[in-house]
């Protein structure tokens, strides 16, 4: 078709368009009814008319693109007539005089909704800015709420764009390829479209690292003949055993994808020749009985009769399919010439699911009411998409957490199997069961042993969650949960907690100002917000509520307020301030992060440090500490040019570090407490502590002897005001004689 691009006459072009249309109908995965064909024809006619004046960068008629996308949707993803029609129309609203209303009148609400979803996504594509890019991805992901077909068609659109990117300028190629590797390939993977995922990754590599790509391609070509001979030797050996058992099967051999070979070369720091399982062989069988699983294991035993397996490389996704719906048995065996070969065993049904993903999965699922992993994932995803309080970049980052993660399988106390991403913690498990269980989770038992919430789970663990009604979510939880669901739910709960604290703070501030004979009105609040360098009244109330701003600071403000000279300047400043009184008092849902402290290590200690000059980190950025020999701790940005070499050569000198807002940080304190031993004394003490908002008990050790008790309690508190208030409350408990702060347990 390359030559036809520029030299074709109108007649030749029309002939080619007609041929491509016929080819599209011929290759559909689903059987099309007469109505289906009429719907697709109508969409095709409108698309041809709408795009008649447009050309692609190659010079081809633009309509070639929608037809190609529709063909991918029909053949490779296996969707039906509605999706094929929507794919043909996907650029019509964005690029031509047709409106969404026209589409809805002609094709109805469903197709209009899908086309609208696809148009919304494209509108921002013109921009380079990362946050706009992220906003754009966010819009795309939110369309999952309406119809997953929007994403599937968008993936097909992206695949065709990647296949035909040669005519684009280099900077555009790089941008589109990077974006593809960043989100479209992981999305295709998560929706079970493995063939498309592989092609997207390979094409992504072709434009991001062309030299590496072409080098691997040429090496694969060189070994093509060798590969064919090897496959024949392997197959001939296996055929004896499979024929003996009367299996109907097909054996296919293939090189691993270019992208995965490259990933292995980088990860293991080896050359192309040294990558040990470049080769995969697939046995696709037609089940003779209802019991596919039994037959798959029978084939496994035949393969391992002839070739020695590597036991640590067995992957059984038949007993427990991946959450993408993927089912197969993978074994790595030593083949002829002592080469490692991965053998994948799949039935025809499993193979279709592996290739078509979502569509095939639902074709085979009809009649079975068992909720699949993929459907489960889509439902969970929709739930997390409903909580849109994150900024776009964080939203996309968090969404990505759920895409490529390797899975582990764990058991509930009743023996039900649950799948979680690798490195998930006990708290992730609690949230995967129910939001309420996550929020009330106090600890967990893994295989019968008590573990902290941050305990990392392994496949096969059995987990029992321990909950308590007085538990409150903690900002530190965000440091160790890894699932997007848990992170979103914790953030929402922390926001609620902040609102409660702000309400208390508002009441406290109002009371204190009344005592000091100062009116509690917009003017005063505005002055306070400016004085404490905050952004909103909510920030102010929150900091009064958690004790970060105390009486001393309030009195200092009043001292300044009473100075007429300063007042004059303040009023001028206020006049220049872009924020009005009204905005400040109404802006009720923000707590400004004032990154004013750096903490190090798991214990979040404050240590002496210097900011490194090679990357000049600023408060709020992601950083790590590096222990130098003569210069103490130097702080570097995570993406500092020297970070990789420091982390690989001196990993033992790296200390975790992060910026915090000290008004929101928890501090560990230890209280020594003693008095007269009475029934229920411990209960009364813990109740008083739990009733203090934002105070957490880390550990408690109280013992009674001969009528008196003595003990220590380790707590997390926000600040000294909160601690003093708590000590006073504890001293009022009947039987308690003395409460004081000490340095160690």
């Amino acid at each position: 078709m390359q030559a036809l691009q520029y030299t074709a006459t109108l007649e030749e072009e029309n002939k080619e368009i007609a041929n491509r249309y016929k080819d599209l109908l011929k290759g559909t995965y689903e059987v099309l009814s007469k109505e289906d064909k009429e719907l697709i024809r109508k969409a095709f006619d409108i698309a041809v008319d709408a795009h008649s004046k447009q050309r692609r960068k190659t010079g081809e008629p633009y309509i070639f693109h929608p037809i190609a996308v529709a063909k991918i949707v029909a053949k490779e993803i296996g969707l039906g007539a509605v999706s094929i029609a929507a794919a043909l129309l996907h650029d019509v609203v964005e690029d031509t005089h047709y409106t969404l209303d026209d589409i809805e009148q002609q094709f109805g609400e469903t197709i209009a909704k899908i086309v609208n979803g696809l148009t919304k996504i494209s509108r921002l594509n013109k921009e380079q800015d990362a946050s706009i890019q992220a906003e754009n991805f966010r819009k795309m992901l939110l369309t999952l709420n309406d119809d997953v077909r929007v994403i599937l068609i968008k993936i097909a659109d992206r695949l065709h764009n990647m296949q035909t990117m040669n005519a684009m300028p280099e900077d555009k190629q790089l941008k589109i390829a990077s974006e593809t590797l960043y989100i479209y390939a992981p999305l295709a993977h998560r929706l079970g479209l493995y063939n498309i995922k592989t092609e997207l990754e390979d094409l992504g590599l072709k434009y991001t690292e062309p030299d590496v790509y072409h080098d691997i391609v040429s090496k694969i070509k060189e070994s093509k003949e060798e590969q064919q001979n090897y496959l024949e030797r392997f197959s001939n050996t296996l055929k004896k055993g499979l024929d003996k058992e009367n299996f109907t099967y097909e054996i296919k051999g293939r090189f691993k994808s270019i992208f995965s070979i490259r990933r292995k070369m980088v990860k293991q720091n080896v050359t192309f020749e040294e990558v040990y399982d470049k080769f995969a062989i697939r046995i696709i069988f037609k089940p003779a009985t209802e019991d596919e699983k039994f037959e798959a294991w029978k084939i496994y035993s035949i393969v391992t009769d002839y070739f020695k397996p590597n036991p640590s490389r067995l992957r059984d996704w038949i007993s427990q399919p991946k959450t993408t719906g993927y089912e197969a048995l993978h074994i790595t065996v030593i083949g002829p010439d002592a080469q490692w070969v991965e053998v994948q065993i799949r039935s025809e049904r499993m193979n279709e699911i592996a290739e078509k993903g979502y569509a095939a999965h639902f074709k085979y699922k009809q009649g079975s009411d068992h909720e699949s992993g993929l459907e489960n994932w889509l439902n969970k995803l929709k739930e997390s998409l409903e909580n849109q309080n994150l900024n776009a970049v964080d939203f996309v980052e968090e969404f990505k957490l759920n895409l490529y993660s390797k899975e582990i399988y764990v058991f509930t106390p009743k023996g039900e199997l649950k799948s979680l991403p690798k490195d998930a913690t006990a708290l992730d498990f609690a949230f995967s069961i129910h939001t309420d269980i996550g929020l009330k989770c106090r600890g967990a038992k893994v295989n019968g042993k008590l573990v902290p919430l941050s305990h990392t789970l392994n496949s096969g663990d059995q987990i029992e969650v321990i909950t308590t009604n007085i538990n409150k979510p903690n900002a530190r939880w965000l440091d160790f949960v890894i699932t997007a669901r848990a992170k979103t739910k914790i953030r929402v709960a922390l926001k609620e907690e902040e609102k409660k604290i702000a309400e208390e703070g508002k009441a406290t501030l109002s009371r204190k100002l009344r005592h000091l004979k100062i009116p509690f009105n917009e003017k005063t609040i505005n002055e306070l917000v400016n004085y404490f360098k905050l952004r909103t009244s909510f920030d102010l109330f929150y900091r009064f509520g958690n004790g970060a701003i105390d009486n001393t600071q309030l009195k200092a403000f009043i001292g300044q307020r009473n100075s007429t000279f300063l007042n004059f300047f303040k009023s001028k400043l206020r006049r220049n301030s872009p924020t009005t009184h009204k905005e400040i008092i109404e802006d009720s849902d923000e707590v400004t992060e004032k990154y004013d402290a750096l903490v190090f290590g798991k214990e979040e200690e404050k240590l002496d440090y210097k900011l490194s000059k090679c990357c000049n980190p600023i408060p709020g950025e992601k950083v790590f500490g590096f222990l130098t020999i003569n210069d103490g701790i130097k702080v570097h940005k995570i993406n500092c040019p020297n970070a990789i070499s420091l982390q690989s050569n001196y990993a033992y000198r790296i200390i975790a570090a992060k910026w915090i807002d000290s008004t929101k940080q928890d501090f560990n304190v230890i209280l020594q407490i003693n008095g007269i031993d009475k029934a229920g004394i411990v209960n009364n003490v813990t109740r008083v502590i739990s009733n203090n908002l934002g105070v957490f008990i880390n550990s408690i050790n109280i013992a009674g002897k001969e009528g008196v008790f003595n003990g220590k309690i380790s707590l997390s508190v926000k600040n000294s005001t909160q601690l003093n208030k708590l000590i006073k409350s504890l001293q009022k408990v009947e039987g308690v004689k003395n409460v004081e702060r000490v340095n160690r347990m």
Side-chain angles (χ1 to χ4, degrees):
M1 220 20 236
Q2 212 61 18
L4 188 64
Q5 284 171 11
Y6 304 102
T7 57
T9 63
L10 204 57
E11 194 184 332
E12 283 172 319
E13 271 181 4
N14 288 338
K15 208 175 186 176
E16 180 64 25
I17 291 169
N19 284 341
R20 291 187 181 206
Y21 175 69
K22 278 183 203 145
D23 191 37
L24 158 69
L25 290 180
K26 222 173 21 202
T28 54
Y29 172 70
E30 289 199 0
V31 179
L32 300 174
S33 65
K34 187 167 173 282
E35 289 78 14
D36 288 344
K37 285 179 179 164
E38 281 167 6
L39 174 73
I40 293 169
R41 180 74 211 196
K42 190 174 162 190
F44 171 70
D45 290 340
I46 283 183
V48 169
D49 173 55
H51 295 300
S52 58
K53 307 248 181 325
Q54 286 175 286
R55 296 262 153 190
R56 299 199 81 205
K57 287 239 176 7
T58 51
E60 297 175 329
Y62 192 86
I63 188 66
F64 282 5
H65 171 63
I67 295 172
V69 173
K71 189 176 170 183
I72 295 167
V73 163
K75 211 172 187 167
E76 295 188 45
I77 304 179
L79 297 177
V82 167
S83 303
I84 296 168
L88 286 165
L89 298 165
H90 80 271
D91 276 336
V92 162
V93 174
E94 193 196 343
D95 292 345
T96 73
H97 61 275
Y98 280 88
T99 66
L100 207 58
D101 287 343
D102 297 336
I103 302 292
E104 189 165 349
Q105 277 170 9
Q106 297 265 14
F107 296 95
E109 199 184 334
T110 306
I111 289 180
K113 208 172 182 182
I114 295 172
V115 171
N116 182 33
L118 289 156
T119 306
K120 257 196 295 195
I121 295 164
S122 306
R123 287 223 169 106
L124 284 163
N125 258 357
K126 316 289 179 268
E127 299 293 340
Q128 295 284 343
D129 181 18
S131 60
I132 292 182
Q133 216 28 51
E135 194 54 61
N136 187 27
F137 286 142
R138 180 198 201 132
K139 276 202 171 128
M140 173 174 80
L141 301 172
L142 291 175
T143 59
L144 267 170
N145 256 345
D146 304 331
D147 199 319
V148 72
R149 288 175 290 192
V150 175
I151 302 276
L152 295 165
I153 297 167
K154 186 62 196 171
I155 289 170
D157 178 36
R158 177 49 60 111
L159 176 61
H160 187 248
N161 283 336
M162 290 293 290
Q163 289 166 339
T164 55
M165 219 162 47
N166 284 343
M168 278 193 168
E170 214 170 291
D171 62 317
K172 276 272 175 64
Q173 288 176 342
L174 188 63
K175 176 187 171 288
I176 292 170
S178 306
E179 198 179 272
T180 300
L181 292 175
Y182 178 72
I183 204 138
Y184 288 100
L187 255 175
H189 169 86
R190 200 60 192 71
L191 290 163
L193 303 167
Y194 293 108
N195 290 359
I196 289 180
K197 175 209 73 160
T198 300
E199 197 175 341
L200 286 174
E201 284 179 338
D202 286 356
L203 288 165
L205 186 67
K206 179 181 175 181
Y207 292 104
T208 53
E209 297 184 68
D211 297 346
V212 172
Y213 173 85
H214 291 299
D215 186 41
I216 295 174
V217 167
S218 66
K219 283 181 173 152
I220 289 175
K221 272 186 188 153
E222 278 166 30
S223 47
K224 218 28 166 210
E225 200 178 320
E226 200 183 305
Q227 179 191 340
Q228 206 47 48
N229 294 339
Y230 194 84
L231 174 65
E232 276 169 30
R233 285 163 66 197
F234 197 95
S235 306
N236 291 339
T237 309
L238 275 185
K239 276 176 182 166
K240 294 174 209 158
L242 291 167
D243 291 345
K244 200 165 140 191
E245 294 291 338
N246 297 321
F247 277 105
T248 309
Y249 62 91
E250 187 185 356
I251 298 180
K252 292 176 174 177
R254 60 172 189 93
F255 251 97
K256 286 273 176 78
S257 76
I258 301 160
F259 185 83
S260 66
I261 290 174
R262 166 66 176 157
R263 192 170 47 212
K264 280 200 164 147
M265 284 164 66
V266 171
K267 198 173 167 188
Q268 296 164 2
N269 196 15
V270 291
T271 62
F272 175 85
E273 289 70 25
E274 290 168 320
V275 174
Y276 81 83
D277 57 350
K278 295 188 282 278
F279 208 63
I281 282 173
R282 197 169 285 158
I283 302 170
I284 299 158
F285 67 94
K286 194 183 189 128
T289 66
E290 290 289 295
D291 198 345
E292 271 183 345
K293 198 191 280 190
F294 173 74
E295 293 188 33
W297 281 106
K298 204 167 169 185
I299 292 173
Y300 165 82
S301 72
I302 292 168
V303 174
T304 53
D305 280 347
Y306 290 96
F307 303 108
K308 229 178 201 54
N310 177 340
S312 67
R313 304 273 302 161
L314 169 65
R315 301 285 179 268
D316 171 12
W317 285 304
I318 289 184
S319 308
Q320 182 56 43
K322 284 187 177 185
T323 47
T324 54
Y326 180 79
E327 292 174 65
L329 268 183
H330 287 199
I331 37 176
T332 302
V333 298
I334 287 208
D337 308 331
Q339 280 192 46
W340 288 108
V341 181
E342 185 181 70
V343 180
Q344 302 170 352
I345 301 167
R346 303 175 184 167
S347 67
E348 286 175 344
R349 176 190 69 84
M350 293 171 194
N351 193 51
E352 256 186 282
I353 287 174
E355 292 185 350
K356 300 278 188 304
Y358 187 84
H361 191 87
F362 283 91
K363 169 185 163 185
Y364 285 107
K365 199 183 139 277
Q366 282 159 8
S368 127
D369 59 0
H370 174 64
E371 197 172 32
S372 73
L374 188 63
E375 216 173 341
N376 250 328
W377 177 75
L378 284 169
N379 290 339
K380 271 185 197 162
L381 189 60
K382 284 175 184 178
E383 196 182 304
S384 65
L385 292 173
E386 283 156 20
N387 297 306
Q388 298 169 38
N389 345 19
L390 294 177
N391 70 47
V393 177
D394 286 350
F395 177 88
V396 176
E397 271 304 321
E398 239 162 64
F399 177 81
K400 267 179 67 63
L401 285 178
N402 279 352
L403 288 179
Y404 254 154
S405 55
K406 287 195 163 67
E407 289 166 336
I408 59 165
Y409 296 95
V410 295
F411 292 91
T412 67
K414 289 181 180 168
E416 289 164 25
L417 202 58
K418 281 195 93 63
S419 104
L420 286 170
K422 191 173 177 297
D423 298 328
T425 61
L427 189 56
D428 284 304
F429 174 80
F431 274 101
S432 78
I433 293 172
H434 196 278
T435 303
D436 255 8
I437 288 176
L439 294 173
K440 289 175 180 172
C441 180
R442 193 73 187 99
K445 278 185 178 177
V446 172
N447 306 328
K449 279 187 180 168
L450 209 56
V451 296
L453 299 181
S454 56
H455 176 83
T456 304
L457 303 173
N458 295 309
S459 259
D461 284 346
Q462 188 165 20
I463 303 121
E464 182 188 340
V465 177
I466 299 161
T467 58
T468 160
N469 281 333
I470 57 171
N471 204 36
K472 301 227 168 54
N474 186 333
R476 284 188 185 177
W477 286 5
L478 291 167
D479 292 341
F480 58 78
V481 291
I482 69 155
T483 54
R485 176 190 170 92
K487 281 183 187 262
T488 309
K489 297 296 182 190
I490 292 166
R491 281 204 175 98
V492 170
L494 288 171
K495 274 260 182 291
E496 289 305 311
E497 196 64 24
E498 281 170 3
K499 279 179 187 162
K500 277 188 204 162
I501 292 171
E503 276 164 26
E504 283 202 1
K506 191 175 180 180
T508 307
L509 180 61
S510 157
R511 200 169 53 247
K512 285 181 178 175
L513 289 175
R514 206 167 47 244
H515 273 298
L516 295 160
K517 306 281 188 293
I518 289 174
F520 178 74
N521 57 19
E522 282 175 26
K523 186 170 179 291
T524 310
I525 286 165
N526 201 10
E527 285 175 21
L528 279 161
V529 167
N530 284 333
Y531 176 78
F532 289 112
K533 297 187 176 64
L534 299 170
R535 281 171 60 189
T536 66
S537 58
F538 186 82
D539 292 344
L540 178 76
F541 300 148
Y542 174 79
R543 285 172 169 82
F544 263 98
N546 77 0
I549 300 175
D550 57 18
N551 284 344
T552 324
Q553 288 160 289
L554 187 59
K555 281 173 183 160
F557 157 74
I558 289 158
Q560 284 218 14
R561 189 176 186 265
N562 294 339
S563 153
T564 49
F565 180 66
L566 270 168
N567 239 355
F568 169 72
F569 280 107
K570 276 258 176 82
S571 65
K572 280 196 78 115
L573 271 172
R574 270 202 305 282
R575 235 170 278 142
N576 297 336
S577 163
T579 319
T580 65
H581 306 318
K582 200 78 191 146
E583 277 173 290
I584 279 176
I585 207 148
E586 282 177 357
D587 190 352
S588 63
D589 200 9
E590 178 172 5
V591 173
T592 313
E593 292 281 2
K594 293 172 75 177
Y595 293 110
D596 56 356
L598 242 184
V599 289
F600 295 89
K602 268 192 176 170
E603 301 304 312
E604 298 192 358
E605 294 173 277
K606 289 190 176 175
L607 304 169
D608 289 337
Y609 64 88
K610 287 179 183 169
L611 296 177
S612 96
K613 289 201 167 58
C614 56
C615 55
N616 291 321
I618 57 171
E621 286 185 322
K622 288 187 176 173
V623 290
F624 65 90
F626 180 69
L627 210 53
T628 62
I629 292 170
N630 301 320
D631 220 1
I633 297 171
K634 282 280 190 78
V635 174
H636 294 260
K637 287 199 305 202
I638 290 285
N639 57 358
C640 162
N642 298 320
I644 292 171
S645 78
L646 291 176
Q647 284 169 335
S648 55
N649 298 326
Y650 305 103
Y652 58 94
R653 291 207 218 151
I654 301 282
I655 315 175
K658 67 173 181 179
W659 292 99
I660 57 151
D661 173 352
S662 61
T663 63
K664 292 170 78 177
Q665 192 209 8
D666 289 348
F667 293 95
N668 279 345
V669 295
I670 294 155
L671 295 182
Q672 183 155 316
I673 184 165
N674 55 45
I676 296 156
D677 196 3
K678 302 175 69 156
I681 188 89
V682 175
N683 202 7
N684 294 340
V685 165
T686 51
R687 193 168 59 244
V688 166
I689 296 170
S690 302
N691 287 343
N692 270 269
L693 260 183
V695 176
F696 296 94
I697 301 174
N698 299 324
S699 68
I700 188 162
N701 180 6
I702 293 179
K705 190 180 178 188
E706 295 165 5
V708 295
F709 77 88
N710 192 10
K712 285 178 182 173
I713 305 170
S714 167
L715 303 164
S716 289
V717 296
K718 297 276 182 216
N719 45 53
S720 58
T721 314
Q722 194 182 53
L723 178 63
N724 295 335
K725 186 175 149 195
L726 177 64
I727 290 173
K728 278 181 189 156
S729 305
L730 287 172
Q731 284 166 339
K732 288 178 188 163
V733 173
E734 198 184 338
V736 172
K737 289 290 173 225
N738 189 30
V739 182
E740 62 178 335
R741 189 175 171 189
V742 292
N743 290 331
R744 57 185 59 204
M745 274 304 269

